[in-house]
Short mmCIF file of all heavy atoms in Angstrom, two decimals:
data_model
loop_
_atom_site.label_atom_id
_atom_site.label_comp_id
_atom_site.label_asym_id
_atom_site.label_seq_id
_atom_site.Cartn_x
_atom_site.Cartn_y
_atom_site.Cartn_z
N VAL A 1 -6.04 67.81 30.56
CA VAL A 1 -7.28 67.08 30.85
C VAL A 1 -7.76 66.34 29.60
O VAL A 1 -8.17 65.18 29.67
CB VAL A 1 -8.37 68.04 31.38
CG1 VAL A 1 -9.73 67.34 31.44
CG2 VAL A 1 -7.99 68.57 32.75
N ASP A 2 -7.71 67.02 28.45
CA ASP A 2 -8.11 66.38 27.19
C ASP A 2 -7.29 65.11 26.93
O ASP A 2 -7.84 64.04 26.61
CB ASP A 2 -7.92 67.34 26.01
CG ASP A 2 -8.92 68.48 26.04
OD1 ASP A 2 -9.92 68.35 26.77
OD2 ASP A 2 -8.70 69.49 25.35
N GLU A 3 -5.98 65.24 27.07
CA GLU A 3 -5.10 64.09 26.82
C GLU A 3 -5.31 62.99 27.86
O GLU A 3 -5.30 61.79 27.52
CB GLU A 3 -3.64 64.55 26.84
CG GLU A 3 -3.29 65.49 25.69
CD GLU A 3 -1.90 66.11 25.82
OE1 GLU A 3 -1.20 65.74 26.81
OE2 GLU A 3 -1.52 66.94 24.98
N ALA A 4 -5.51 63.37 29.12
CA ALA A 4 -5.71 62.38 30.17
C ALA A 4 -7.01 61.62 29.98
O ALA A 4 -7.08 60.41 30.21
CB ALA A 4 -5.69 63.06 31.54
N VAL A 5 -8.07 62.34 29.55
CA VAL A 5 -9.36 61.69 29.30
C VAL A 5 -9.24 60.69 28.15
O VAL A 5 -9.76 59.57 28.22
CB VAL A 5 -10.45 62.74 29.01
CG1 VAL A 5 -11.70 62.09 28.44
CG2 VAL A 5 -10.78 63.52 30.27
N ALA A 6 -8.53 61.10 27.09
CA ALA A 6 -8.33 60.19 25.95
C ALA A 6 -7.52 58.96 26.38
O ALA A 6 -7.85 57.83 26.01
CB ALA A 6 -7.62 60.92 24.82
N SER A 7 -6.48 59.17 27.18
CA SER A 7 -5.66 58.05 27.66
C SER A 7 -6.47 57.14 28.58
O SER A 7 -6.33 55.91 28.53
CB SER A 7 -4.43 58.57 28.42
OG SER A 7 -3.64 59.38 27.58
N LEU A 8 -7.33 57.75 29.42
CA LEU A 8 -8.15 56.96 30.33
C LEU A 8 -9.10 56.04 29.57
O LEU A 8 -9.27 54.87 29.92
CB LEU A 8 -8.94 57.89 31.26
CG LEU A 8 -9.88 57.21 32.27
CD1 LEU A 8 -9.07 56.37 33.25
CD2 LEU A 8 -10.71 58.25 33.01
N SER A 9 -9.70 56.57 28.51
CA SER A 9 -10.62 55.76 27.70
C SER A 9 -9.89 54.58 27.08
O SER A 9 -10.39 53.45 27.06
CB SER A 9 -11.26 56.63 26.62
OG SER A 9 -11.98 57.71 27.18
N GLN A 10 -8.67 54.84 26.56
CA GLN A 10 -7.88 53.76 25.95
C GLN A 10 -7.41 52.74 26.99
O GLN A 10 -7.31 51.55 26.71
CB GLN A 10 -6.67 54.35 25.22
CG GLN A 10 -7.05 55.22 24.02
CD GLN A 10 -5.85 55.91 23.41
OE1 GLN A 10 -4.73 55.77 23.89
NE2 GLN A 10 -6.08 56.68 22.36
N LEU A 11 -7.15 53.21 28.23
CA LEU A 11 -6.68 52.33 29.28
C LEU A 11 -7.81 51.47 29.85
O LEU A 11 -7.63 50.28 30.12
CB LEU A 11 -6.04 53.17 30.41
CG LEU A 11 -5.58 52.41 31.66
CD1 LEU A 11 -4.41 51.50 31.30
CD2 LEU A 11 -5.18 53.39 32.75
N LEU A 12 -8.98 52.09 30.02
CA LEU A 12 -10.09 51.39 30.67
C LEU A 12 -10.71 50.32 29.78
O LEU A 12 -11.20 49.30 30.28
CB LEU A 12 -11.17 52.39 31.09
CG LEU A 12 -10.84 53.25 32.31
CD1 LEU A 12 -11.96 54.24 32.56
CD2 LEU A 12 -10.64 52.39 33.55
N GLU A 13 -10.72 50.55 28.47
CA GLU A 13 -11.40 49.61 27.58
C GLU A 13 -10.84 48.19 27.69
O GLU A 13 -11.62 47.23 27.90
CB GLU A 13 -11.33 50.11 26.14
CG GLU A 13 -12.26 49.36 25.21
CD GLU A 13 -12.51 50.11 23.92
OE1 GLU A 13 -12.22 51.31 23.83
OE2 GLU A 13 -12.99 49.46 22.99
N PRO A 14 -9.52 47.97 27.57
CA PRO A 14 -9.03 46.59 27.74
C PRO A 14 -9.23 46.04 29.14
O PRO A 14 -9.49 44.84 29.31
CB PRO A 14 -7.53 46.71 27.40
CG PRO A 14 -7.20 48.14 27.54
CD PRO A 14 -8.43 48.90 27.21
N ILE A 15 -9.13 46.92 30.17
CA ILE A 15 -9.33 46.44 31.54
C ILE A 15 -10.76 45.96 31.72
O ILE A 15 -11.01 44.90 32.34
CB ILE A 15 -9.01 47.58 32.55
CG1 ILE A 15 -7.52 47.90 32.52
CG2 ILE A 15 -9.44 47.19 33.95
CD1 ILE A 15 -7.12 49.06 33.40
N ILE A 16 -11.71 46.71 31.18
CA ILE A 16 -13.13 46.32 31.28
C ILE A 16 -13.37 45.02 30.53
O ILE A 16 -14.10 44.14 31.01
CB ILE A 16 -14.03 47.45 30.75
CG1 ILE A 16 -13.98 48.65 31.70
CG2 ILE A 16 -15.47 46.98 30.58
CD1 ILE A 16 -14.65 49.89 31.16
N MET A 17 -12.78 44.89 29.34
CA MET A 17 -12.95 43.65 28.56
C MET A 17 -12.39 42.45 29.32
O MET A 17 -13.01 41.38 29.34
CB MET A 17 -12.24 43.79 27.22
CG MET A 17 -12.86 44.80 26.26
SD MET A 17 -14.59 44.42 25.86
CE MET A 17 -15.44 45.69 26.82
N VAL A 18 -11.23 42.62 29.96
CA VAL A 18 -10.63 41.53 30.75
C VAL A 18 -11.54 41.18 31.93
O VAL A 18 -11.78 40.00 32.23
CB VAL A 18 -9.22 41.92 31.24
CG1 VAL A 18 -8.71 40.91 32.25
CG2 VAL A 18 -8.27 42.02 30.06
N PHE A 19 -12.06 42.21 32.60
CA PHE A 19 -12.95 41.99 33.74
C PHE A 19 -14.19 41.20 33.33
O PHE A 19 -14.56 40.20 33.98
CB PHE A 19 -13.35 43.34 34.33
CG PHE A 19 -14.48 43.27 35.34
CD1 PHE A 19 -14.24 42.82 36.63
CD2 PHE A 19 -15.77 43.64 34.99
CE1 PHE A 19 -15.27 42.74 37.56
CE2 PHE A 19 -16.80 43.56 35.91
CZ PHE A 19 -16.55 43.11 37.19
N LEU A 20 -14.84 41.65 32.24
CA LEU A 20 -16.03 40.95 31.76
C LEU A 20 -15.70 39.52 31.33
O LEU A 20 -16.46 38.58 31.60
CB LEU A 20 -16.66 41.72 30.59
CG LEU A 20 -17.23 43.11 30.92
CD1 LEU A 20 -17.75 43.77 29.65
CD2 LEU A 20 -18.32 43.01 31.95
N GLY A 21 -14.55 39.36 30.65
CA GLY A 21 -14.17 38.03 30.20
C GLY A 21 -13.92 37.08 31.35
O GLY A 21 -14.35 35.91 31.33
N VAL A 22 -13.23 37.57 32.39
CA VAL A 22 -12.90 36.71 33.53
C VAL A 22 -14.17 36.35 34.32
O VAL A 22 -14.39 35.18 34.66
CB VAL A 22 -11.87 37.41 34.44
CG1 VAL A 22 -11.72 36.64 35.77
CG2 VAL A 22 -10.53 37.52 33.74
N VAL A 23 -15.01 37.35 34.60
CA VAL A 23 -16.19 37.11 35.45
C VAL A 23 -17.24 36.29 34.71
O VAL A 23 -17.62 35.19 35.13
CB VAL A 23 -16.77 38.44 35.94
CG1 VAL A 23 -18.06 38.18 36.73
CG2 VAL A 23 -15.77 39.16 36.83
N ILE A 24 -17.73 36.84 33.59
CA ILE A 24 -18.81 36.16 32.87
C ILE A 24 -18.28 34.88 32.21
O ILE A 24 -18.93 33.82 32.25
CB ILE A 24 -19.43 37.10 31.82
CG1 ILE A 24 -20.06 38.31 32.54
CG2 ILE A 24 -20.49 36.36 31.00
CD1 ILE A 24 -20.66 39.34 31.62
N GLY A 25 -17.09 34.96 31.62
CA GLY A 25 -16.50 33.76 31.03
C GLY A 25 -16.24 32.68 32.07
O GLY A 25 -16.44 31.49 31.81
N GLY A 26 -15.81 33.10 33.28
CA GLY A 26 -15.58 32.14 34.35
C GLY A 26 -16.85 31.41 34.76
O GLY A 26 -16.84 30.20 35.03
N ILE A 27 -17.95 32.15 34.82
CA ILE A 27 -19.24 31.54 35.17
C ILE A 27 -19.66 30.51 34.11
O ILE A 27 -20.09 29.40 34.43
CB ILE A 27 -20.33 32.63 35.32
CG1 ILE A 27 -20.02 33.51 36.54
CG2 ILE A 27 -21.71 32.00 35.46
CD1 ILE A 27 -20.94 34.70 36.68
N VAL A 28 -19.51 30.89 32.84
CA VAL A 28 -19.89 29.99 31.75
C VAL A 28 -19.04 28.72 31.77
O VAL A 28 -19.56 27.59 31.66
CB VAL A 28 -19.77 30.71 30.39
CG1 VAL A 28 -19.99 29.72 29.24
CG2 VAL A 28 -20.77 31.85 30.29
N VAL A 29 -17.72 28.87 31.94
CA VAL A 29 -16.82 27.71 31.98
C VAL A 29 -17.16 26.81 33.17
O VAL A 29 -17.18 25.56 33.06
CB VAL A 29 -15.35 28.16 32.04
CG1 VAL A 29 -14.43 26.98 32.34
CG2 VAL A 29 -14.95 28.84 30.75
N ALA A 30 -17.45 27.43 34.33
CA ALA A 30 -17.79 26.64 35.52
C ALA A 30 -19.05 25.81 35.29
O ALA A 30 -19.15 24.67 35.78
CB ALA A 30 -17.99 27.58 36.72
N MET A 31 -20.00 26.35 34.53
CA MET A 31 -21.22 25.61 34.25
C MET A 31 -21.00 24.45 33.27
O MET A 31 -21.74 23.47 33.28
CB MET A 31 -22.28 26.57 33.70
CG MET A 31 -22.86 27.54 34.72
SD MET A 31 -23.68 26.70 36.11
CE MET A 31 -22.37 26.72 37.35
N TYR A 32 -20.02 24.58 32.42
CA TYR A 32 -19.78 23.53 31.42
C TYR A 32 -18.76 22.49 31.87
O TYR A 32 -18.58 21.47 31.21
CB TYR A 32 -19.33 24.16 30.10
CG TYR A 32 -20.49 24.63 29.26
CD1 TYR A 32 -20.93 25.96 29.34
CD2 TYR A 32 -21.16 23.76 28.41
CE1 TYR A 32 -22.00 26.40 28.59
CE2 TYR A 32 -22.24 24.20 27.65
CZ TYR A 32 -22.65 25.51 27.75
OH TYR A 32 -23.72 25.93 27.00
N LEU A 33 -18.09 22.73 33.00
CA LEU A 33 -17.11 21.75 33.49
C LEU A 33 -17.72 20.37 33.75
O LEU A 33 -17.13 19.34 33.37
CB LEU A 33 -16.44 22.28 34.77
CG LEU A 33 -15.29 23.29 34.58
CD1 LEU A 33 -14.79 23.79 35.93
CD2 LEU A 33 -14.15 22.65 33.79
N PRO A 34 -18.90 20.27 34.42
CA PRO A 34 -19.49 18.94 34.62
C PRO A 34 -19.82 18.24 33.30
O PRO A 34 -19.71 17.01 33.21
CB PRO A 34 -20.77 19.24 35.41
CG PRO A 34 -20.52 20.56 36.06
CD PRO A 34 -19.68 21.31 35.09
N ILE A 35 -20.24 19.00 32.30
CA ILE A 35 -20.56 18.40 31.00
C ILE A 35 -19.29 17.83 30.36
O ILE A 35 -19.30 16.72 29.82
CB ILE A 35 -21.21 19.44 30.08
CG1 ILE A 35 -22.53 19.95 30.71
CG2 ILE A 35 -21.48 18.88 28.69
CD1 ILE A 35 -23.19 21.07 29.97
N PHE A 36 -18.18 18.58 30.45
CA PHE A 36 -16.91 18.08 29.93
C PHE A 36 -16.48 16.82 30.68
O PHE A 36 -15.96 15.85 30.09
CB PHE A 36 -15.82 19.15 30.04
CG PHE A 36 -16.09 20.38 29.23
CD1 PHE A 36 -15.61 21.62 29.65
CD2 PHE A 36 -16.81 20.31 28.06
CE1 PHE A 36 -15.86 22.75 28.91
CE2 PHE A 36 -17.06 21.44 27.31
CZ PHE A 36 -16.58 22.67 27.73
N LYS A 37 -16.70 16.81 32.02
CA LYS A 37 -16.31 15.67 32.84
C LYS A 37 -17.10 14.43 32.46
O LYS A 37 -16.55 13.32 32.37
CB LYS A 37 -16.53 16.03 34.32
CG LYS A 37 -16.04 14.97 35.29
CD LYS A 37 -16.23 15.46 36.72
CE LYS A 37 -15.74 14.41 37.71
NZ LYS A 37 -15.94 14.84 39.12
#
């Protein structure tokens, strides 16, 4: 359990970062697309 919890924390951190980057970053990029155009 100790090892699995440690592995879970290491596994979830990059997944969460990717999720936040895609969702929030996607919203920001979508808002700036008309300005770039």
Side-chain angles (χ1 to χ4, degrees):
V1 170
D2 290 344
E3 294 171 3
V5 167
S7 301
L8 179 63
S9 301
Q10 294 174 359
L11 176 67
L12 286 177
E13 193 162 344
I15 293 176
I16 291 171
M17 292 301 106
V18 170
F19 169 77
L20 294 177
V22 170
V23 176
I24 298 178
I27 293 173
V28 173
V29 170
M31 289 300 98
Y32 277 94
L33 279 176
I35 299 174
F36 297 150
K37 185 177 180 181

